[in-house]
Amino acid sequence: MLRVVVLGAAAGGGVPQWNCGCEGCRTARDNGQELQRTQASVAFSGDGEHWFLINASPDLRQQLNATPQLHPKAGALRHTPIAGVILTNSEVDAVAGLLSMREGSPFTVYAHEKVLAILKANSIFNVLNEKNVQRQPIGINEPFEPRLPDGARSGLEVLPFAVSGKSAWYLEGKTHPGGDSGEGDTLGLKITDKATGKCFYFIAACAEVTDALKAEIDGAALVFFDGTVWQDDEMIKAGLSHKTGKSMGHVAMSGDHGAIARLADLTLDRKIFLHINNSNPALLPASPERKAAEAAGWQIPADGTEIVL
């Protein structure tokens, strides 16, 4: 049985963002935890005992403490049910949480070679002693079975695939440690329970919904999809940034080329937006944008949402 827990649903900075007074952040502060979101990550398990994370957000310590499934085993002095972390990109909101996992428990970091090269180039990640924390390269369209800390099979299959995106913003104008050619900076994942055949997709960054991507996810029981912005230029209009969503590697929810319209003709049992920016009005339950998203069959999850497939 495949279990998935949403650890965080927000984009970089979370909601409310620490230095932001936009409508979404003000409303989240005024209404308490109901509207607040931490930065995007999910955990999944095939047996309910051993868990894997997809991305390690800067809010990871808070997320782990809020998630009983990921607590140390009762009576154990040192223990974690986390067997591995799979990175889909190298943005700060996907990798910074690794630094909160430096206390010596064994697990494996799975990532494309381009992302691993970035970790290797930044010596701060050496706090994760490679005697305990192995770094395992993964290839595009090369399925693999993540292993448990003792080397046992997990019974899960992960298929990484390329999606339209870009390298981390902090590398703009700089030499990429992993080289500037080829794909690998932005991945989507298909996670399958080999025993049941149940699967879900995780695509937290995507600059364009291509026909190839549509063909890949059509018929899925569950899709987590990039919901960063409602409109491509919303951050510019709000005075929060000079960048569009697409220039940051994120497709908008709305519009003729947005995720809602482009994925409307697919058969998807459950569609959930993830990595939602504080500027996105769809975060607000009473907004027209939220109602439009929900009318199209999309969900805006709360942190802690658990799904069983």
Side-chain angles (χ1 to χ4, degrees), residues 5-10 37-42 57 63 274-275 301-304:
V5 178
V6 177
L7 302 181
R37 303 287 192 277
T38 58
Q39 294 166 88
S41 176
V42 306
S57 89
Q63 292 168 343
L274 205 67
H275 197 270
D303 289 9

Side-chain angles (χ1 to χ4, degrees), residues 112-170:
H112 191 274
E113 289 181 345
K114 293 187 75 174
V115 174
L116 291 180
I118 294 171
L119 299 184
K120 185 176 181 179
N122 192 328
S123 61
I124 194 171
F125 289 101
N126 291 338
V127 299
L128 297 170
N129 189 325
E130 290 195 50
K131 292 181 179 179
N132 289 320
V133 182
Q134 299 181 20
R135 301 181 186 184
Q136 179 68 44
I138 60 178
I140 294 172
N141 297 326
E142 296 178 8
F144 67 94
E145 182 174 3
R147 297 296 180 119
L148 306 184
D150 63 359
R153 294 180 177 276
S154 64
L156 301 167
E157 182 180 272
V158 180
L159 174 66
F161 55 93
V163 296
S164 176
K166 59 186 294 296
S167 60
W169 68 266
Y170 55 81

Side-chain angles (χ1 to χ4, degrees), residues 64-84:
L64 298 185
N65 285 333
T67 308
Q69 298 93 321
L70 303 180
H71 290 177
K73 183 167 52 179
L77 181 61
R78 284 290 182 114
H79 170 263
T80 177
I82 298 172

Side-chain angles (χ1 to χ4, degrees), residues 40-41 53-58 60 85-87 92-98 101:
S41 176
L53 309 184
I54 301 180
N55 295 335
S57 89
L60 183 59
V85 181
I86 305 167
L87 303 177
V92 172
D93 53 339
V95 304
L98 290 173
M101 303 177 72

Side-chain angles (χ1 to χ4, degrees), residues 209 213-215 217-219 262-268 271:
V209 180
L213 177 60
K214 291 177 63 174
I217 67 175
D218 195 13
R262 288 286 290 151
L263 300 176
D265 60 337
L266 303 188
T267 301
L268 303 172
K271 304 179 288 187

